[in-house]
Amino acid sequence: WLLTQDHKRIGILYLITITFFFLIGGTFAGLIRLELLTPMPDLVASDTYNKLFTMHGIIMIFLFLIPSVPATLGNFLVPMMIGARDLAFPKLNLLSWYLLLIGGAFTLYSLVTGGVDTGWTFTTPLSTHYLNTHVIATATAIFIAGFSSIFTGLNIIVTVHRMRCPGMTWFRLPLFVWAMYAASIIMVLATPVLAITLTLVVLERLFGVGVFDPTKGGDPLLFQHLFWFYSHPGIYIMILPGFA
């Protein structure tokens, strides 16, 4: 199973992986709700609450929601729905799953060593100047998991283009395949922007390059434009049509 190139088995591996992270993120969600039962910080301290809120968002968005439809359902169903034996690049497909695991491992490392409290959006200048939690390790986790999305999207795009069975024209494609195709294009085009944005956050923390620092001629709103160029399509466009 760990060396398989069968798209159905890889889809099941993705399902097991995202279920594991869903349980962690869901546990954090439960703790957040319990804390909000009373106005005072009875269950956890304020800084711990911020970390729970941040880690819940990061895990549920980048390690559950994003890979849940294209990488899990798409992996399992798209080849069968277009009459293909497998995805176009089976080895790249397996590599995509391992990259998600590595990104998840970095996230768990950040979690067990103290977490991060920037909010899942890594808003600047909070993430670049004012917090000393594990921003770099968590950004690295998302950076690595992003390549998993890019490779999965590329695989689905090439598969739909080149491996449809005879007679399966574009306008005979099931709606689900169209949704996966559109989601894959977004993944390939938008995910690199997120990777660049998080790289700039890390460079600003390490070397003070000033891209988002107004005292050095930077603009913190630039981060918002770059980050949400990925995250708005990822949440509102890529995930919801995937259930069509």
Side-chain angles (χ1 to χ4, degrees):
W1 276 75
L2 296 180
L3 298 176
T4 183
Q5 296 178 29
D6 181 0
H7 70 98
K8 296 185 292 296
R9 284 192 171 191
I10 295 175
I12 293 172
L13 291 173
Y14 268 111
L15 178 61
I16 295 171
T17 304
I18 66 170
T19 301
F20 170 73
F21 286 113
F22 175 81
L23 293 175
I24 297 176
T27 300
F28 290 171
L31 292 174
I32 291 170
R33 266 64 176 186
L34 286 175
E35 175 56 48
L36 292 176
L37 286 174
T38 60
M40 301 302 293
D42 299 318
L43 182 64
V44 296
S46 298
D47 58 341
T48 303
Y49 178 87
N50 290 339
K51 292 176 182 178
L52 287 173
F53 185 85
T54 300
M55 298 304 295
H56 161 73
I58 288 172
I59 290 172
M60 296 299 277
I61 294 295
F62 297 109
L63 299 177
F64 173 71
L65 281 177
I66 298 298
S68 65
V69 180
T72 304
L73 295 179
N75 230 315
F76 198 94
L77 296 174
V78 166
M80 294 190 291
M81 295 178 80
I82 65 173
R85 296 181 63 181
D86 207 321
L87 290 176
F89 308 113
K91 292 181 180 179
L92 189 66
N93 194 21
L94 181 61
L95 175 63
S96 301
W97 176 68
Y98 274 108
L99 287 174
L100 181 66
L101 283 186
I102 296 171
F106 270 87
T107 303
L108 293 178
Y109 165 79
S110 301
L111 174 64
V112 299
T113 56
V116 65
D117 54 353
T118 61
W120 75 270
T121 59
F122 291 89
T123 304
T124 58
L126 189 65
S127 62
T128 54
H129 291 80
Y130 299 113
L131 295 175
N132 294 318
T133 51
H134 297 282
V135 176
I136 294 177
T138 311
T140 303
I142 298 172
F143 184 91
I144 295 172
F147 275 95
S148 173
S149 296
I150 293 171
F151 292 155
T152 298
L154 178 65
N155 223 339
I156 291 177
I157 290 171
V158 176
T159 301
V160 173
H161 267 275
R162 304 295 298 175
M163 299 181 67
R164 303 191 307 275
C165 67
M168 179 67 75
T169 61
W170 284 99
F171 290 102
R172 289 182 177 178
L173 288 176
L175 182 60
F176 179 81
V177 177
W178 273 109
M180 290 299 96
Y181 182 75
S184 298
I185 291 176
I186 294 172
M187 289 160 62
V188 171
L189 294 180
T191 308
V193 178
L194 175 66
I196 293 170
T197 306
L198 295 178
T199 300
L200 291 174
V201 169
V202 172
L203 291 176
E204 186 134 335
R205 284 186 67 90
L206 291 176
F207 307 111
V209 293
V211 176
F212 307 122
D213 187 354
T215 64
K216 297 180 180 179
D219 185 358
L221 284 179
L222 175 61
F223 175 85
Q224 302 296 330
H225 295 312
L226 293 173
F227 183 88
W228 290 105
F229 179 84
Y230 166 86
S231 296
H232 273 303
I235 296 173
Y236 304 132
I237 298 174
M238 185 173 75
I239 296 170
L240 301 177
F243 292 97

